[in-house]
Amino acid sequence: MLESLPLPSPHVNRLTDASDATTDVLIVGVSAKQESSATLDRLNKAGDGWIDRLRNRNTISSKRGKVNKLIPAVSDAPPVVLLIGTGDDTRNSRVAAFEIAATAIRAINNNSLARVDIALGEDFDPTTHDALVAGAISACENLAIYHSDPSVHVPEAIHFSGISQDAIDRGQIIGQAIIQTRRLVNEPAGVIYPESFAARASEVAEKSGLSIEVWDEKKLEAEGCRAILAVGAGSARPPRIVILRHQGGGDEAPLAIVGKGVTFDSGGLSIKPGDGMVDMKCDMAGAATVLGVMQAVAQLGVKRNVIGVCGLAENMISGTSYKLGDVIKTRNGKTIEILNTDAEGRVVLADTLDVTVENAPSSIVDLATLTGACMVALGMEVAGLMTNNQPLCDAVSQAANEEGEPVWQLPMFDLYDEKVKSKVADIKNVGEGRWGGAITAAKFLENFVGDTPWLHIDIAGPAFNDSSKPHRDAGASGVMVRTLLNWVQS
Ligand code: BES
Ligand code: MN
Ligand code: ZN
């Protein structure tokens, strides 16, 4: 099988001098409001007002995210200047800072460059600078991980001017967390399965100073985790639960983040058609998000206690697969009837949430590529929020709005409760028909969180993209890493 490759890690520095001919590419912002910046002025003067001349002839676009590649005929200037449009009123926007920096880095990734300088700090307020750095770093990861002749290059060094060292450090940590999450999701199921995910988590824990517990199949058996074991029963790769702990808040109750980690979802005996199965290596995106966020929480030294719990299983077909009509006693004692083995995420999360509750968290946020129904309801770009606690939902929504990751709340009316009741067991793992499928899935999960304030985020749509955009590659998105990091620090 394939070997896993190291993550991209350009040297990141704070630049205090002006860029010169030792820079390969200088990235500068150009605003639609005719505002200038020190770097733009300096370039303009060094070339006898050449930037003004270009602007006056409308040969430069200042539209948000538009890239203008210029070759200045000025000695001691960098050989390439990339002017990128910052649009209107983006100074305070963390999303604009993130996306514009990412777009600029992606626009030059067909060459292998020694040094890229980014002067965009001048175009954005300091409150956005960590997002700007994170955007540049996150753009260094692409899904072409296994090209034998690399088509995508990462600069050896990226220098930022006009940005504090603190923002650079924070941005680098956030960017590396996004890269970590995206890589885990982009790697195929032959590389990332429950055991190898857990091994990756152990490496991350060791490097970043998290404590970690890995429950293997024997421990899961001893703990009565029959639900996650049932989902994994058809696979040659046994399930795992991984518990990561960050201790930064004394003896306060921890915040908990929980992820669905189905490393491949074939659907099981309720098998998916090929079209629906091709991207199902992405079904562990929730767990990968938890690992990325926990890595950053430790590296940032967040002054809270935070635990991350990943429920890892592979949903496969064999003579030992769990079956339709099976009734399973979960860890918290509730019984579930299996009516569709493709509704496996909620079954994995049943035990995973119960293990989390036992850690007495003050609140739980779970992330899961849980339902196609959520994609039908909200489209590919919007995550669905379902909660038993409105203030918690509002706090995470606000963090998502600040980071520009679209989310939308779906209702959890009592009337949905009866739709997951079963005749032979306490609950069944499907709702009634396809209707309200995202919500009935959440109603199932609600049985396993007790009275703990809880928010479920269905990321089936935004976790994995069919096509690329100027600011990001296709494939894994790393969605919700920024939102959760914003939330745990608020
Ligand atoms: N992992 C899928 C949901 C999914 C679909 C995620 C597409 C990302 C992209 C999940 O396990 C699933 O199969 N859900 C079923 C539930 C149904 C059988 C009740 C679905 O949504 O069809
Ligand atoms: Mn499924
Ligand atoms: Zn699934």
Side-chain angles (χ1 to χ4, degrees):
M1 208 43 205
L2 292 161
E3 258 175 65
S4 52
L5 302 162
L7 294 174
S9 60
H11 296 287
V12 174
N13 292 302
R14 178 160 176 253
L15 185 66
T16 42
D17 303 332
S19 305
D20 55 32
T22 63
T23 303
D24 292 310
V25 179
L26 169 60
I27 295 168
V28 191
V30 53
S31 134
K33 289 172 130 185
Q34 296 291 320
E35 286 166 354
S36 203
S37 63
T39 305
L40 205 54
D41 283 343
R42 194 161 51 234
L43 273 171
N44 192 38
K45 283 207 189 86
D48 262 340
W50 64 298
I51 302 274
D52 286 340
R53 283 198 297 282
L54 289 170
R55 288 192 91 169
N56 291 338
R57 291 184 173 195
N58 291 324
T59 45
I60 290 174
S61 171
S62 53
K63 279 212 185 103
R64 176 169 166 173
K66 273 280 176 313
V67 169
N68 310 271
K69 230 181 239 187
L70 309 178
I71 316 290
V74 181
S75 65
D76 87 350
V80 175
V81 172
L82 195 145
L83 283 192
I84 183 156
T86 57
D88 270 319
D89 283 330
T90 53
R91 283 204 80 87
N92 293 313
S93 164
R94 293 177 61 79
V95 203
F98 184 93
E99 291 185 0
I100 288 168
T103 302
I105 289 291
R106 282 174 51 74
I108 53 173
N109 68 9
N110 47 353
N111 298 102
S112 85
L113 303 168
R115 170 173 169 186
V116 174
D117 291 359
I118 299 185
L120 287 167
E122 298 168 26
D123 300 278
F124 291 95
D125 272 10
T127 52
T128 69
H129 283 175
D130 58 334
L132 197 164
V133 174
I137 303 297
S138 77
C140 294
E141 171 70 1
N142 290 280
L143 56 72
I145 22 186
Y146 296 115
H147 284 190
S148 50
D149 181 14
S151 54
V152 182
H153 301 271
V154 174
E156 257 170 63
I158 304 179
H159 300 248
F160 292 91
S161 60
I163 293 185
S164 71
Q165 189 60 49
D166 178 61
I168 290 181
D169 294 343
R170 294 174 51 79
Q172 223 185 326
I173 290 171
I174 299 167
Q176 290 294 345
I178 296 169
I179 287 180
Q180 178 72 255
T181 298
R182 289 177 53 209
R183 173 63 65 85
L184 284 162
V185 175
N186 278 335
E187 278 177 306
V191 174
I192 297 295
Y193 42 90
E195 190 182 2
S196 65
F197 185 108
R200 222 41 102 73
S202 300
E203 279 168 36
V204 167
E206 173 142 2
K207 278 197 194 127
S208 52
L210 292 160
S211 65
I212 184 169
E213 239 178 87
V214 178
W215 291 13
D216 64 9
E217 64 272 33
K218 285 194 201 84
K219 171 77 171 168
L220 291 170
E221 196 90 53
E223 289 281 343
C225 296
R226 292 182 204 86
I228 191 172
L229 284 165
V231 172
S235 169
R237 309 288 198 184
R240 295 285 184 270
I241 286 180
V242 170
I243 307 165
L244 297 151
R245 291 190 176 85
H246 168 76
Q247 201 71 28
D251 48 16
E252 66 161 28
L255 302 171
I257 51 175
V258 175
K260 169 179 173 182
V262 173
T263 56
F264 188 71
D265 182 11
S266 71
L269 291 173
S270 312
I271 190 170
K272 286 181 184 294
D275 278 354
M277 208 190 292
V278 271
D279 288 333
M280 279 303 124
K281 66 175 181 182
C282 84
D283 213 17
M284 35 60 79
T289 307
V290 167
L291 185 54
V293 170
M294 290 305 293
Q295 166 183 309
V297 161
Q299 292 175 349
L300 290 166
V302 170
K303 300 236 172 326
R304 309 284 292 269
N305 295 333
V306 188
I307 66 172
V309 187
C310 303
L312 304 160
E314 193 183 55
N315 188 21
M316 297 293 279
I317 303 182
S318 75
T320 54
S321 293
Y322 77 139
K323 302 173 192 74
L324 287 79
D326 277 355
V327 173
I328 301 159
K329 191 163 190 183
T330 64
R331 187 170 187 271
N332 86 350
K334 288 198 181 157
T335 52
I336 56 184
E337 182 187 15
I338 302 301
L339 292 178
N340 189 320
T341 60
D342 196 14
E344 85 298 337
R346 65 199 77 180
V347 181
V348 166
L349 286 172
D351 286 341
T352 310
L353 287 167
D354 185 59
V355 169
T356 307
V357 167
E358 212 170 69
N359 285 267
S362 54
S363 54
I364 299 178
V365 175
D366 82 69
L367 301 120
T369 47
L370 203 64
T371 66
C374 197
M375 295 155 78
V376 173
L378 300 176
M380 293 295 288
E381 278 140 343
V382 181
L385 304 181
M386 287 144 269
T387 190
N388 65 3
N389 184 284
Q390 200 55 40
L392 171 62
C393 183
D394 291 343
V396 175
S397 291
Q398 193 192 324
N401 290 339
E402 282 171 18
E403 299 299 328
E405 299 193 298
V407 296
W408 196 255
Q409 187 177 1
L410 300 174
M412 287 281 276
F413 303 131
D414 292 343
L415 62 88
Y416 295 102
D417 286 322
E418 65 189 64
K419 307 200 189 300
V420 292
K421 295 235 160 82
S422 157
K423 293 198 185 75
V424 298
D426 296 329
I427 48 175
K428 57 185 179 187
N429 81 329
V430 292
E432 279 167 12
R434 302 152 54 208
W435 313 123
I439 299 168
T440 48
K443 279 288 175 185
F444 179 100
L445 298 180
E446 196 176 17
N447 282 280
F448 301 93
V449 297
D451 296 330
T452 312
W454 157 75
L455 173 68
H456 160 58
I457 311 184
D458 193 328
I459 54 170
F464 200 81
N465 298 299
D466 286 337
S467 55
S468 65
K469 290 213 171 149
H471 67 273
R472 56 141 181 85
D473 202 357
S477 66
V479 70
M480 291 297 130
V481 170
R482 285 181 281 152
T483 292
L484 290 177
L485 286 172
N486 180 313
W487 171 67
V488 298
Q489 294 177 90
S490 65

